[in-house]
Every structure is written in structure tokens, then in C-alpha cells.
Amino acid sequence: MRVLIVEDEQSLATEIETALQKNHFLCDTAHSAKEALDRTDTGSYDFILLDIGLPDKDGFWLLQEIRKDHSETVIIMLTARGEVEDRIRGLDMGADDYLAKPFSLLELQSRMQAIIRRKFKLHDQQLTLGAFTIHVKNRTIHYEETEIFLSRKEFDLLNYLLLHKNRPLSRMQLSDHLWGDNADDEYDSNYIDVHIKNIRKKLNAYADTEWLETIRGIGYKIRTDA
């Protein structure tokens, strides 16, 4: 998943980015409101971690601007302000959560995972796809008792499609959310198509994958009954 870290304290931004990358999040950083708007104008994010105390604009103002075009993006406010009034204001303006500094990086990641579970209705860390079982936390996929090896990018692609099950996603959407600034080059080289082909080949050796559909002229979709 793609994350934008909007934080003017560069050392903290780097610390957050390093921690999230270890948990397979794709991160971009912005150190001002202008830089953040430039980022969101040219791409979309699953999460935005937004500091209120930015050097050029108030974080609350930036929250409103981002919400105009990114209603589905999860926004977590990060700030040194701990007053109840600020927390209420941020939530009322469209923030999904609020974390006061100093905070634990483990708590931040825990909150992000909790939001993912709620947003995508994941009651546990195990998902079923036809005859296959995906273990999200361990990043593995099994057919009965047999583990099937997928590369990191293959797993990320399959997992992202599953989180958005029954919704067609374009190749550019998939590239943008999974590979960020490298999306254009990979899209031009049919990178997504190659990964889908590899996923089907590996899984079809065990069972049918009719649930992984090609949407002509658009991209791909995972079809489920749930």
C-alpha cells in the first residue's frame, strides 16, 4: 500500500518511512503543504500521515484540501498538539485517526493495520480465494497444506486486488499503488500483465483461478461471492 508522510521534521519523517518500509508499505515524503499537494495532485495514496504543524500552511487547511479529491484515502493526523479540541476538530474535518507526538512507531503501525481491517472488513489475517488461503500477516499463500511461493511484488499485487475484491482496477491504478514513482515505466512495459501471468501459472498448477478475471480494456479484478 502507498503512504504519503507529510512531516516537516525530516529525521522523524525518515524514521517513520524506514519503519513502514520494513512492513512492505511504499512511502513518499513531503516536508511542506505545497509539496504534499503536488504529490496528491499527481498520484493517489492509501494512507496519508499528516502533521498539523507545517511551515507554510496549517495542517487542518491541508486536510480540507486533500479531502476535496481524495475521499477514500485514510488520513491520520500526527501532531504535538494533544488538546481534545484539536483532536475533535481534525476528526470532524475528515481525519480517520489522530496520534499525538511523541508516539510509538509500533502503535502507529498497529493503528494503520486496524484501519485496514475495518476498511476492508478483515475479521482475521486469513483470506480465502477459491481453493487457496492467503495469510496476510505472514505474507504466504497455501493450497491445502502446500505453500506456494510468490515473489514480493506478485504477493503485493494479489493482496491489493483481494482487498479491493469485486472492483475492477486498471493497470495504472495497480502500478501507482504498488510501485509509486516507478509506475509509468512499469506500466509501459506491461509489468502488471507479466505479474498476473506469473501468478496464474503458479496457482493453476494446483487449482483453477477463474476468480482472477481480466477486464478487457481496463485491467483486472478478483471476483468473490463475499
Side-chain angles (χ1 to χ4, degrees):
M1 286 191 158
R2 195 175 184 193
V3 181
L4 176 62
I5 303 165
V6 187
E7 168 61 60
D8 66 323
E9 187 180 335
Q10 295 193 19
S11 59
L12 177 57
T14 299
E15 188 178 356
I16 294 171
E17 180 179 12
T18 300
L20 294 181
Q21 286 177 337
K22 289 180 181 178
N23 284 274
H24 307 285
F25 288 97
L26 180 69
C27 298
D28 293 324
T29 59
H31 303 300
S32 67
K34 181 183 183 303
E35 188 178 355
L37 285 179
D38 289 341
R39 288 277 190 180
T40 56
D41 284 345
T42 57
S44 57
Y45 292 88
D46 301 291
F47 280 91
I48 295 178
L49 309 181
L50 176 55
D51 180 30
I52 289 180
L54 298 172
D56 52 346
K57 288 284 188 178
D58 185 270
F60 293 118
W61 174 87
L62 181 57
L63 171 62
Q64 287 183 309
E65 291 300 306
I66 291 174
R67 271 289 176 245
K68 291 177 181 178
D69 298 312
H70 301 279
S71 60
E72 294 186 1
T73 299
V74 175
I75 299 178
I76 300 177
M77 306 296 287
L78 306 177
T79 178
R81 303 178 189 178
E83 291 82 358
V84 173
E85 292 78 8
D86 284 331
R87 295 199 297 271
I88 293 174
R89 182 184 177 191
L91 294 171
D92 286 347
M93 292 173 63
D96 296 280
D97 203 350
Y98 195 105
L99 204 55
K101 300 176 184 177
F103 55 83
S104 162
L105 291 174
L106 290 176
E107 181 182 1
L108 171 62
Q109 293 175 72
S110 179
R111 291 195 184 205
M112 292 173 70
Q113 294 294 344
I115 290 172
I116 290 172
R117 290 194 296 271
R118 290 197 303 270
K119 182 176 180 179
F120 297 108
K121 298 179 175 60
L122 302 179
H123 302 297
D124 53 41
Q125 294 293 308
Q126 182 172 302
L127 302 169
T128 300
L129 273 178
F132 303 95
T133 302
I134 293 183
H135 302 273
V136 177
K137 185 175 182 179
N138 297 331
R139 295 177 59 82
T140 59
I141 181 168
H142 286 78
Y143 172 75
E144 296 179 348
E145 299 300 319
T146 303
E147 181 177 346
I148 303 168
F149 172 77
L150 295 182
S151 70
R152 174 178 174 177
K153 289 187 176 182
E154 288 167 357
F155 185 90
D156 287 343
L157 176 56
L158 187 64
N159 185 52
Y160 198 77
L161 281 165
L162 184 55
L163 290 177
H164 296 274
K165 59 187 179 182
N166 299 313
R167 173 185 169 188
L169 297 178
S170 70
R171 293 170 178 83
M172 183 57 77
Q173 282 178 301
L174 292 168
S175 293
D176 190 43
H177 282 270
L178 294 171
W179 293 290
D181 292 339
N182 296 321
D184 290 340
D185 293 338
E186 294 173 331
Y187 174 72
D188 291 340
S189 62
N190 295 316
Y191 212 53
I192 294 295
D193 296 330
V194 171
H195 281 299
I196 291 291
K197 180 180 179 180
N198 290 338
I199 291 169
R200 283 175 170 155
K201 181 179 180 179
K202 291 178 180 181
L203 300 188
N204 282 337
Y206 296 89
D208 197 355
T209 57
E210 74 281 354
W211 39 264
L212 179 52
E213 298 182 348
T214 300
I215 309 301
R216 188 178 299 276
I218 299 176
Y220 298 96
K221 177 182 75 173
I222 283 181
R223 172 178 47 81
T224 70
D225 296 329

